[in-house]
Amino acid sequence: TYPIIVINRDDIALNEYINKLNHPAQFIIINDLEKLDISSTQIRNEIKKHHSLKSYLDKPVIDYIMTKHLYQ
């Protein structure tokens, strides 16, 4: 099995959720990423409207999202 990777968000008390689980040691938590001021819902909405994501995300990330047809 593979551990679940969790990226912390400012608006969620992540440790409260993880402590409720049976095996909290199975999680890898990443806290030191640059915070982006966009949510997955916003990305999904921008894609549906055929708007550019360039002001939110780097080109390799946009290319990956589009190639894999994510958020559609």
Side-chain angles (χ1 to χ4, degrees):
T1 64
Y2 295 98
I4 296 175
I5 298 175
V6 179
I7 300 173
N8 200 5
R9 290 175 38 171
D10 290 337
D11 59 336
I12 294 177
L14 185 61
N15 287 333
E16 288 179 29
Y17 290 102
I18 291 176
N19 289 335
K20 292 178 183 179
L21 301 172
N22 292 334
H23 304 287
Q26 292 179 340
F27 291 83
I28 298 171
I29 301 171
I30 301 172
N31 287 325
D32 59 351
L33 293 176
E34 176 186 348
K35 303 283 192 266
L36 300 176
D37 193 22
I38 188 164
S39 69
S40 58
T41 300
Q42 290 171 299
I43 293 171
R44 191 174 292 108
N45 289 339
E46 293 299 309
I47 291 172
K48 283 181 184 177
K49 296 176 193 173
H50 302 285
H51 291 171
S52 174
L53 299 173
K54 289 180 184 178
S55 61
Y56 304 110
L57 304 171
D58 293 332
K59 185 176 180 344
V61 176
I62 296 168
D63 291 345
Y64 184 85
I65 289 170
M66 298 313 222
T67 301
K68 303 292 185 180
H69 305 286
L70 304 178
Y71 299 106
Q72 295 180 8

XYZ file of all heavy atoms in Angstrom:
604
model
N 0.835 -1.193 0.000
C 0.000 0.000 0.000
C 0.871 1.243 0.000
O 2.045 1.194 0.362
C -0.924 0.029 1.239
O -0.117 0.119 2.397
C -1.822 -1.186 1.277
N 0.261 2.354 -0.359
C 0.968 3.620 -0.418
C 0.388 4.564 0.625
O -0.810 4.558 0.878
C 0.819 4.251 -1.807
C 1.471 3.431 -2.885
C 0.726 2.557 -3.668
C 2.836 3.533 -3.120
C 1.332 1.802 -4.659
C 3.444 2.789 -4.110
C 2.692 1.926 -4.877
O 3.285 1.187 -5.853
N 1.251 5.390 1.203
C 0.733 6.378 2.153
C -0.055 7.453 1.413
O 0.147 7.667 0.225
C 1.997 6.957 2.782
C 3.063 6.740 1.759
C 2.689 5.479 1.032
N -0.915 8.083 2.113
C -1.667 9.196 1.548
C -0.899 10.471 1.833
O -0.460 10.704 2.956
C -3.079 9.264 2.156
C -3.856 8.011 1.772
C -3.801 10.526 1.702
C -5.209 7.915 2.414
N -0.723 11.279 0.821
C -0.027 12.555 0.995
C -1.067 13.642 1.222
O -2.019 13.770 0.456
C 0.834 12.878 -0.227
C 1.899 11.797 -0.403
C 1.460 14.264 -0.082
C 2.725 11.945 -1.651
N -0.863 14.415 2.263
C -1.803 15.467 2.631
C -1.068 16.791 2.618
O 0.003 16.922 3.203
C -2.380 15.213 4.048
C -3.327 16.324 4.438
C -3.053 13.858 4.111
N -1.622 17.764 1.925
C -1.052 19.099 1.896
C -1.902 19.986 2.790
O -3.111 20.107 2.591
C -0.985 19.642 0.463
C -0.099 18.713 -0.376
C -0.463 21.072 0.467
C -0.082 19.044 -1.837
N -1.268 20.579 3.751
C -1.967 21.380 4.752
C -2.530 22.665 4.136
O -1.912 23.263 3.265
C -1.003 21.720 5.891
C -1.728 22.100 7.150
O -2.939 22.033 7.225
N -0.974 22.489 8.150
N -3.695 23.059 4.606
C -4.326 24.318 4.205
C -4.564 25.144 5.456
O -4.849 24.612 6.521
C -5.644 24.054 3.503
C -5.450 23.436 2.150
C -6.724 23.039 1.469
N -7.830 23.945 1.656
C -8.978 23.857 0.996
N -9.138 22.902 0.123
N -9.956 24.692 1.219
N -4.460 26.453 5.308
C -4.623 27.350 6.452
C -6.001 27.268 7.094
O -6.145 27.452 8.283
C -4.371 28.803 6.034
C -2.906 29.054 5.724
O -2.054 28.303 6.227
O -2.624 30.005 4.976
N -7.013 26.991 6.296
C -8.382 27.056 6.798
C -8.896 25.737 7.379
O -10.059 25.631 7.723
C -9.320 27.543 5.697
C -9.305 26.646 4.461
O -8.307 25.944 4.248
O -10.295 26.672 3.716
N -8.025 24.740 7.508
C -8.452 23.438 8.014
C -7.536 23.015 9.162
O -6.314 23.105 9.052
C -8.414 22.374 6.895
C -9.452 22.715 5.831
C -8.644 20.984 7.456
C -9.460 21.790 4.663
N -8.122 22.542 10.245
C -7.351 22.014 11.371
C -6.986 20.569 11.044
O -7.631 19.619 11.496
C -8.147 22.110 12.655
N -5.951 20.399 10.253
C -5.576 19.101 9.704
C -5.285 18.060 10.782
O -5.714 16.919 10.681
C -4.364 19.277 8.790
C -3.896 18.060 8.029
C -4.982 17.545 7.106
C -2.647 18.387 7.257
N -4.567 18.442 11.805
C -4.201 17.481 12.853
C -5.431 16.890 13.542
O -5.416 15.728 13.943
C -3.266 18.121 13.874
C -1.890 18.320 13.300
O -1.470 17.599 12.399
N -1.179 19.311 13.807
N -6.489 17.670 13.672
C -7.722 17.143 14.273
C -8.279 15.992 13.445
O -8.708 14.980 13.984
C -8.768 18.243 14.392
C -8.471 19.269 15.463
C -9.542 20.342 15.517
O -10.714 20.044 15.176
O -9.202 21.464 15.910
N -8.267 16.138 12.136
C -8.778 15.087 11.249
C -7.881 13.848 11.287
O -8.358 12.725 11.378
C -8.886 15.593 9.809
C -9.976 16.597 9.622
C -9.692 17.949 9.546
C -11.302 16.203 9.527
C -10.700 18.884 9.373
C -12.320 17.124 9.358
C -12.008 18.467 9.285
O -13.002 19.376 9.115
N -6.585 14.060 11.204
C -5.656 12.935 11.166
C -5.674 12.163 12.482
O -5.611 10.936 12.496
C -4.239 13.416 10.805
C -4.246 13.872 9.348
C -3.211 12.317 11.026
C -2.956 14.464 8.867
N -5.775 12.853 13.596
C -5.794 12.184 14.899
C -7.031 11.310 15.092
O -7.012 10.384 15.897
C -5.690 13.211 16.030
C -4.309 13.817 16.113
O -3.329 13.214 15.695
N -4.230 15.024 16.638
N -8.086 11.573 14.354
C -9.305 10.761 14.440
C -9.179 9.442 13.674
O -9.996 8.550 13.838
C -10.503 11.540 13.903
C -10.897 12.716 14.763
C -12.061 13.464 14.150
C -12.407 14.690 14.974
N -13.510 15.451 14.386
N -8.165 9.322 12.839
C -8.002 8.130 12.012
C -7.290 7.027 12.789
O -6.573 7.276 13.744
C -7.211 8.482 10.761
C -7.856 9.561 9.886
C -6.904 9.969 8.782
C -9.166 9.059 9.302
N -7.479 5.808 12.340
C -6.888 4.649 13.018
C -5.370 4.593 12.894
O -4.689 4.134 13.796
C -7.484 3.353 12.473
C -8.938 3.211 12.835
O -9.394 3.766 13.825
N -9.675 2.472 12.028
N -4.837 5.011 11.761
C -3.407 4.876 11.494
C -2.818 6.195 11.011
O -2.435 6.317 9.844
C -3.162 3.784 10.446
C -3.742 2.468 10.824
N -3.195 1.664 11.804
C -4.842 1.814 10.381
C -3.933 0.577 11.928
N -4.939 0.641 11.084
N -2.711 7.185 11.880
C -2.215 8.491 11.436
C -0.780 8.451 10.911
O -0.394 9.309 10.122
C -2.322 9.366 12.679
C -2.424 8.440 13.817
C -3.037 7.173 13.291
N 0.006 7.467 11.282
C 1.392 7.378 10.811
C 1.481 7.051 9.323
O 2.544 7.174 8.724
C 2.148 6.341 11.630
N 0.393 6.633 8.698
C 0.397 6.298 7.278
C 0.342 7.536 6.382
O 0.414 7.415 5.181
C -0.779 5.391 6.933
C -0.675 4.019 7.545
C -1.878 3.147 7.187
O -2.926 3.639 6.807
N -1.706 1.855 7.320
N 0.219 8.704 6.950
C 0.084 9.920 6.174
C 1.407 10.661 6.082
O 2.167 10.715 7.040
C -0.949 10.859 6.809
C -2.346 10.344 6.712
C -2.831 9.431 7.634
C -3.176 10.759 5.699
C -4.118 8.946 7.541
C -4.473 10.286 5.601
C -4.940 9.374 6.519
N 1.663 11.229 4.939
C 2.776 12.144 4.760
C 2.159 13.535 4.662
O 1.309 13.784 3.807
C 3.560 11.821 3.469
C 4.161 10.422 3.559
C 4.623 12.885 3.220
C 4.754 9.938 2.264
N 2.570 14.417 5.537
C 1.988 15.757 5.569
C 3.028 16.756 5.063
O 4.164 16.778 5.528
C 1.545 16.135 6.996
C 0.514 15.121 7.488
C 0.982 17.549 7.028
C 0.172 15.258 8.944
N 2.617 17.579 4.132
C 3.495 18.602 3.570
C 2.975 19.962 4.019
O 1.846 20.334 3.727
C 3.525 18.509 2.033
C 4.012 17.123 1.610
C 4.393 19.613 1.449
C 3.902 16.848 0.138
N 3.812 20.685 4.748
C 3.407 21.991 5.278
C 4.127 23.162 4.637
O 3.709 24.292 4.794
C 3.687 22.061 6.786
C 2.723 21.237 7.586
O 1.559 21.139 7.244
N 3.209 20.637 8.646
N 5.210 22.917 3.931
C 6.077 24.017 3.518
C 5.969 24.391 2.042
O 6.915 24.897 1.460
C 7.521 23.700 3.879
C 8.026 22.418 3.237
O 7.212 21.683 2.645
O 9.231 22.158 3.326
N 4.836 24.176 1.435
C 4.634 24.588 0.052
C 4.196 26.041 -0.012
O 3.560 26.556 0.911
C 3.564 23.719 -0.619
C 3.917 22.262 -0.838
C 2.731 21.525 -1.421
C 5.116 22.117 -1.738
N 4.514 26.667 -1.129
C 4.045 28.028 -1.350
C 2.521 28.016 -1.419
O 1.918 27.185 -2.093
C 4.616 28.558 -2.668
C 4.124 29.923 -3.046
C 4.595 30.352 -4.426
O 5.485 29.695 -4.993
O 4.058 31.329 -4.925
N 1.911 28.913 -0.707
C 0.446 28.985 -0.689
C -0.047 29.665 -1.969
O 0.451 30.706 -2.362
C -0.041 29.782 0.514
C 0.419 29.246 1.854
C -0.385 28.032 2.252
C -0.160 27.653 3.684
N 0.841 26.686 3.946
N -1.002 29.049 -2.624
C -1.622 29.607 -3.814
C -3.001 30.126 -3.446
O -3.730 29.474 -2.701
C -1.747 28.551 -4.913
C -0.452 27.935 -5.408
C -0.747 26.848 -6.420
C 0.454 28.994 -6.001
N -3.336 31.269 -3.980
C -4.622 31.869 -3.656
C -5.686 31.421 -4.655
O -6.319 32.238 -5.328
C -4.491 33.386 -3.638
C -5.690 34.068 -3.001
O -6.405 33.392 -2.219
O -5.925 35.244 -3.292
N -5.829 30.102 -4.797
C -6.861 29.549 -5.678
C -7.222 28.166 -5.167
O -6.390 27.445 -4.630
C -6.393 29.496 -7.156
C -7.556 29.098 -8.056
C -5.203 28.586 -7.313
C -7.332 29.366 -9.510
N -8.472 27.817 -5.329
C -8.939 26.496 -4.907
C -9.182 25.623 -6.128
O -9.247 26.107 -7.256
C -10.238 26.636 -4.103
O -11.284 27.047 -4.965
N -9.342 24.348 -5.890
C -9.649 23.435 -6.995
C -10.986 23.791 -7.635
O -11.158 23.651 -8.846
C -9.638 21.985 -6.520
O -10.566 21.792 -5.483
N -11.920 24.274 -6.833
C -13.213 24.703 -7.380
C -13.026 25.884 -8.334
O -13.628 25.922 -9.416
C -14.180 25.098 -6.243
O -14.369 23.959 -5.403
C -15.520 25.567 -6.780
N -12.184 26.823 -7.961
C -11.920 27.964 -8.836
C -11.242 27.516 -10.127
O -11.588 28.005 -11.213
C -11.050 28.997 -8.122
C -11.774 29.727 -7.005
C -10.816 30.564 -6.192
O -9.883 30.036 -5.597
N -11.045 31.861 -6.181
N -10.289 26.594 -10.012
C -9.623 26.077 -11.213
C -10.638 25.406 -12.125
O -10.675 25.644 -13.328
C -8.492 25.090 -10.837
C -7.367 25.833 -10.122
C -7.972 24.353 -12.068
C -6.319 24.931 -9.527
N -11.474 24.578 -11.556
C -12.515 23.883 -12.323
C -13.423 24.894 -13.029
O -13.743 24.748 -14.211
C -13.323 22.986 -11.392
C -14.250 22.029 -12.091
C -14.912 21.073 -11.101
N -13.934 20.148 -10.522
C -13.495 20.192 -9.270
N -13.932 21.101 -8.425
N -12.608 19.326 -8.832
N -13.831 25.939 -12.324
C -14.711 26.953 -12.914
C -14.019 27.722 -14.036
O -14.639 28.018 -15.056
C -15.205 27.919 -11.839
C -16.205 27.278 -10.910
O -16.842 26.275 -11.245
N -16.344 27.829 -9.710
N -12.749 28.035 -13.849
C -12.003 28.742 -14.892
C -11.879 27.884 -16.149
O -12.005 28.373 -17.265
C -10.616 29.143 -14.382
C -10.631 30.177 -13.282
C -11.252 31.497 -13.697
O -10.860 32.051 -14.740
O -12.146 31.974 -12.968
N -11.648 26.589 -15.972
C -11.560 25.685 -17.118
C -12.899 25.591 -17.832
O -12.963 25.631 -19.063
C -11.044 24.295 -16.674
C -9.570 24.393 -16.266
C -11.234 23.255 -17.776
C -9.010 23.144 -15.635
N -13.989 25.483 -17.082
C -15.325 25.410 -17.698
C -15.637 26.656 -18.511
O -16.300 26.593 -19.542
C -16.397 25.231 -16.618
C -16.492 23.834 -16.079
C -17.596 23.739 -15.047
C -17.634 22.358 -14.426
N -18.642 22.251 -13.364
N -15.148 27.801 -18.060
C -15.386 29.071 -18.761
C -14.366 29.314 -19.873
O -14.417 30.339 -20.542
C -15.304 30.236 -17.771
C -16.366 30.221 -16.708
C -16.111 31.378 -15.743
C -16.920 31.251 -14.487
N -16.534 32.276 -13.493
N -13.430 28.369 -20.041
C -12.360 28.478 -21.029
C -11.487 29.697 -20.763
O -10.993 30.330 -21.695
C -12.922 28.505 -22.458
C -13.734 27.299 -22.782
N -13.175 26.065 -23.035
C -15.078 27.119 -22.871
C -14.130 25.186 -23.272
N -15.293 25.792 -23.175
N -11.277 30.015 -19.485
C -10.397 31.114 -19.092
C -8.986 30.586 -18.888
O -8.782 29.405 -18.572
C -10.879 31.771 -17.804
C -12.147 32.529 -17.967
N -12.836 33.038 -16.900
C -12.875 32.875 -19.063
C -13.916 33.663 -17.312
N -13.963 33.570 -18.624
N -8.034 31.456 -19.028
C -6.630 31.089 -18.829
C -6.330 30.875 -17.343
O -6.876 31.564 -16.487
C -5.731 32.193 -19.374
O -4.385 31.919 -19.063
N -5.439 29.945 -17.072
C -4.994 29.693 -15.707
C -3.607 30.289 -15.449
O -3.041 30.110 -14.376
C -4.945 28.182 -15.444
C -6.261 27.429 -15.562
C -6.026 25.939 -15.445
C -7.228 27.908 -14.502
N -3.068 31.015 -16.427
C -1.698 31.519 -16.338
C -1.460 32.427 -15.139
O -0.351 32.456 -14.607
C -1.327 32.269 -17.614
C -1.159 31.368 -18.811
C -0.803 32.178 -20.029
C -0.737 31.286 -21.251
N -0.442 32.050 -22.460
N -2.450 33.152 -14.723
C -2.250 34.050 -13.580
C -2.276 33.304 -12.247
O -1.941 33.876 -11.214
C -3.300 35.160 -13.582
O -4.590 34.622 -13.472
N -2.668 32.034 -12.280
C -2.771 31.245 -11.052
C -1.686 30.181 -10.922
O -1.220 29.888 -9.830
C -4.121 30.519 -10.985
C -5.317 31.409 -11.093
C -6.117 31.393 -12.224
C -5.672 32.258 -10.058
C -7.237 32.202 -12.323
C -6.786 33.074 -10.149
C -7.563 33.042 -11.282
O -8.661 33.842 -11.372
N -1.327 29.541 -12.046
C -0.476 28.351 -12.014
C 0.667 28.454 -13.016
O 0.563 29.157 -14.022
C -1.317 27.107 -12.351
C -2.544 26.859 -11.482
C -3.389 25.745 -12.073
C -2.122 26.516 -10.065
N 1.736 27.717 -12.752
C 2.864 27.645 -13.679
C 2.482 26.813 -14.899
O 1.636 25.914 -14.824
C 4.073 27.010 -13.003
C 4.643 27.872 -11.891
O 4.497 29.116 -11.964
O 5.230 27.305 -10.957
N 3.151 27.084 -16.021
C 2.841 26.401 -17.275
C 2.928 24.875 -17.170
O 2.037 24.189 -17.678
C 3.738 26.916 -18.396
C 3.374 26.315 -19.747
C 4.179 26.888 -20.855
C 3.871 26.344 -22.223
N 3.133 25.151 -22.368
N 3.965 24.294 -16.529
C 3.993 22.818 -16.431
C 2.779 22.246 -15.688
O 2.283 21.177 -16.033
C 5.283 22.532 -15.663
C 6.145 23.720 -15.889
C 5.202 24.886 -15.991
N 2.284 22.965 -14.706
C 1.097 22.508 -13.967
C -0.134 22.596 -14.862
O -0.946 21.668 -14.921
C 0.905 23.331 -12.669
C -0.373 22.931 -11.961
C 2.107 23.182 -11.760
N -0.268 23.693 -15.574
C -1.397 23.855 -16.502
C -1.357 22.769 -17.566
O -2.382 22.143 -17.866
C -1.377 25.254 -17.148
C -1.579 26.324 -16.083
C -2.432 25.355 -18.237
C -1.302 27.735 -16.559
N -0.180 22.526 -18.131
C -0.034 21.487 -19.163
C -0.433 20.117 -18.625
O -1.127 19.354 -19.310
C 1.402 21.440 -19.690
C 1.770 22.669 -20.494
O 0.863 23.427 -20.900
O 2.982 22.880 -20.703
N -0.018 19.814 -17.411
C -0.366 18.526 -16.801
C -1.882 18.412 -16.613
O -2.490 17.388 -16.955
C 0.350 18.373 -15.458
C 0.108 17.033 -14.810
C 0.891 15.941 -15.149
C -0.899 16.860 -13.875
C 0.673 14.699 -14.566
C -1.123 15.626 -13.283
C -0.337 14.558 -13.636
O -0.559 13.335 -13.057
N -2.497 19.452 -16.094
C -3.952 19.450 -15.877
C -4.680 19.231 -17.197
O -5.614 18.428 -17.276
C -4.401 20.772 -15.215
C -3.930 20.819 -13.760
C -5.919 20.954 -15.307
C -4.117 22.167 -13.088
N -4.244 19.932 -18.223
C -4.932 19.824 -19.519
C -4.670 18.479 -20.200
O -5.595 17.887 -20.750
C -4.487 20.974 -20.434
C -4.852 22.318 -19.868
S -6.546 22.397 -19.270
C -7.028 23.964 -19.862
N -3.442 17.983 -20.119
C -3.105 16.700 -20.729
C -3.861 15.548 -20.103
O -4.328 14.639 -20.791
C -1.578 16.440 -20.628
O -0.891 17.496 -21.276
C -1.205 15.116 -21.263
N -4.000 15.595 -18.794
C -4.686 14.538 -18.050
C -6.188 14.757 -17.944
O -6.894 13.958 -17.331
C -4.098 14.400 -16.643
C -2.620 14.116 -16.604
C -2.319 12.737 -17.138
C -0.835 12.431 -16.979
N -0.489 11.126 -17.484
N -6.680 15.862 -18.507
C -8.116 16.200 -18.479
C -8.650 16.265 -17.054
O -9.749 15.780 -16.758
C -8.932 15.204 -19.307
C -8.435 15.087 -20.720
N -8.643 16.060 -21.669
C -7.707 14.113 -21.321
C -8.094 15.695 -22.798
N -7.504 14.512 -22.620
N -7.854 16.864 -16.175
C -8.276 17.013 -14.791
C -9.257 18.176 -14.667
O -9.278 19.075 -15.504
C -7.054 17.273 -13.901
C -5.953 16.225 -13.973
C -4.782 16.615 -13.082
C -6.483 14.857 -13.566
N -10.043 18.159 -13.649
C -11.009 19.224 -13.329
C -12.076 19.382 -14.411
O -12.629 20.448 -14.585
C -10.291 20.568 -13.099
C -9.328 20.549 -11.966
C -7.955 20.527 -12.178
C -9.784 20.537 -10.654
C -7.062 20.503 -11.126
C -8.904 20.517 -9.593
C -7.545 20.497 -9.833
O -6.681 20.481 -8.789
N -12.371 18.332 -15.133
C -13.405 18.441 -16.167
C -14.566 17.527 -15.864
O -14.472 16.586 -15.186
C -12.816 18.095 -17.533
C -11.768 19.110 -17.923
C -11.163 18.802 -19.285
O -11.607 17.917 -20.006
N -10.128 19.536 -19.608
